[in-house]
Amino acid sequence: NLKAIARAGAGVNNIPLDKCADQGIVVFNTPGANANGVKELVIAGMLLAARDIVSGIGWVQEHEEDGDLAKATEKAKKAFAGTELAGKKLGVIGLGAIGVLVANTAIHLGMEVYGYDPYVSVDSAWKLSRNIHHAKTVDELYKECDYLTIHVPALPDTKGMINKDAISLMKKDVVVLNFARDTLVDSEAMVDALIAGNVKRYVTDFPTPEIAGVKGAIVIPHLGASTEESEDNCAKMAVQELKDYLENGNITHSVNYPDCDMGVKESGNRITILHKNIPNMIGQLTAVLAKENMNISLMTNKSRKEYAYTMIDVEAEVPMEVEEQLSAIDGVLKIRVIK
């Protein structure tokens, strides 16, 4: 009886997407709803790496009982002198909702920003500052940038993308930031690079036994989207997606079915059909309705790899026998009639 799942966040690695698709269960996520919260922490991560703030705070805590702390501070602070972000080159790998915000904010901080994303959406492209350099290859970012931040999903071709070979192309004393997924960075290669001094700082939001405690690593306990605002935004978007799907049949931000929107359901009935993306499916569906003399007032069909979604508005009531005939078509996974 399960019709849909909405994930209040972008990651859906804890949901069996293929099994859901095979059973006609639409899975939604909420991309961009927590983007600002993550962006702010990425900027904070760059500042922590640039100014050696963490070590400075640690020194104060170690000497908090020193009666002449103020005088000692003036002598010790030289050890924590850092650099400014202005004028440095930042490479943003992945220009989705978060990557765009990070890139634009860095421009306002006076950084020179390079962006790389071969699949950048039209919507993201419109939002990008015109001052951002568009790199044709990710290697260009590795070679040019003082700071690198990753904002891509964990896919088979992105897992471990920051590996020994990638690090070998980077500037000495580069700062790498990972607020996307821990598996994007080869932990062993990163530890080796930190110990060797080839990477100055690795700022990550994903604690693992391999990286925790390594000198040069700033490890944050997965706080990227942990703000009141982000949690509220994600919850609201998830509810809106589910409501629109249940009431109107529209799919927005699905990760296992194509997005499909036919507006608010008006009079009559709306038939929604989740099915395999195979030839002659539309012909078979409409043939059933034609046989029952049911007039189609509006119809749309979208596909995504091996799955597809068809929405049909009819003027008459849809008898149970028609639902059964549609469900019996080979490749149909789930039928729902919205009255």
Side-chain angles (χ1 to χ4, degrees), residues 32-286:
N34 57 15
N36 189 69
V38 178
K39 174 210 73 176
E40 291 185 357
L41 195 61
V42 172
I43 299 301
M46 285 199 288
L47 291 167
L48 290 172
R51 299 297 300 273
D52 203 12
I53 298 168
V54 174
S55 297
I57 292 173
W59 182 90
V60 172
Q61 291 175 335
E62 290 175 5
H63 297 79
E64 60 186 3
E65 296 182 2
D66 187 338
D68 202 10
L69 181 58
K71 187 175 181 180
T73 297
E74 292 305 311
K75 292 181 179 180
K77 69 179 185 180
K78 294 179 181 180
F80 312 113
T83 59
E84 298 180 11
L85 296 180
K88 303 301 187 297
K89 293 181 179 179
L90 169 67
V92 182
I93 305 171
L95 295 169
I98 298 170
V100 166
L101 292 180
V102 171
N104 289 346
T105 301
I107 287 289
H108 292 299
L109 291 173
M111 302 186 80
E112 187 177 346
V113 180
Y114 291 72
Y116 173 75
D117 191 335
Y119 309 108
V120 63
S121 68
V122 173
D123 186 54
S124 291
W126 275 107
K127 294 175 181 177
L128 272 175
S129 167
R130 64 181 181 179
N131 296 316
I132 293 168
H133 303 281
H134 298 278
K136 294 183 179 179
T137 68
V138 71
D139 287 357
E140 184 179 343
L141 271 63
Y142 294 154
K143 295 174 182 178
E144 293 290 334
C145 296
D146 307 294
Y147 292 78
L148 288 163
T149 181
I150 318 163
H151 300 288
V152 299
L155 302 172
D157 58 344
T158 61
K159 288 184 178 180
M161 64 180 294
I162 304 297
N163 52 27
K164 183 178 180 180
D165 292 337
I167 293 171
S168 69
L169 298 175
M170 298 177 190
K171 287 183 174 182
K172 187 176 176 64
D173 289 340
V174 67
V175 173
V176 179
L177 301 105
N178 180 13
F179 288 79
R181 286 287 179 270
D182 61 323
T183 55
L184 300 175
V185 175
D186 182 326
S187 295
E188 183 177 347
M190 182 55 69
V191 169
D192 290 344
L194 287 168
I195 293 173
N198 295 323
V199 172
K200 183 179 181 180
R201 292 277 189 273
Y202 175 51
V203 188
T204 179
D205 204 23
F206 307 100
T208 63
E210 297 84 5
I211 204 68
V214 176
K215 185 178 180 181
I218 300 174
V219 185
I220 302 169
H222 203 186
L223 301 180
S226 296
T227 67
E228 294 180 7
E229 294 86 351
S230 288
E231 291 175 359
D232 286 349
N233 290 338
C234 287
K236 289 175 183 177
M237 184 182 286
V239 169
Q240 289 166 354
E241 292 166 352
L242 287 174
K243 185 178 180 182
D244 194 23
Y245 177 65
L246 295 174
E247 294 181 354
N248 300 304
N250 298 322
I251 295 179
T252 306
H253 297 144
S254 173
V255 293
N256 63 346
Y257 274 96
D259 281 7
C260 190
D261 191 334
M262 212 158 71
V264 176
K265 189 192 82 66
E266 303 292 348
S267 58
N269 286 185
R270 177 168 289 177
I271 306 170
T272 67
I273 307 137
L274 295 156
H275 56 87
K276 292 290 185 70
N277 184 22
I278 54 180
N280 196 34
M281 179 59 73
I282 301 301
Q284 294 181 78
L285 297 172
T286 55

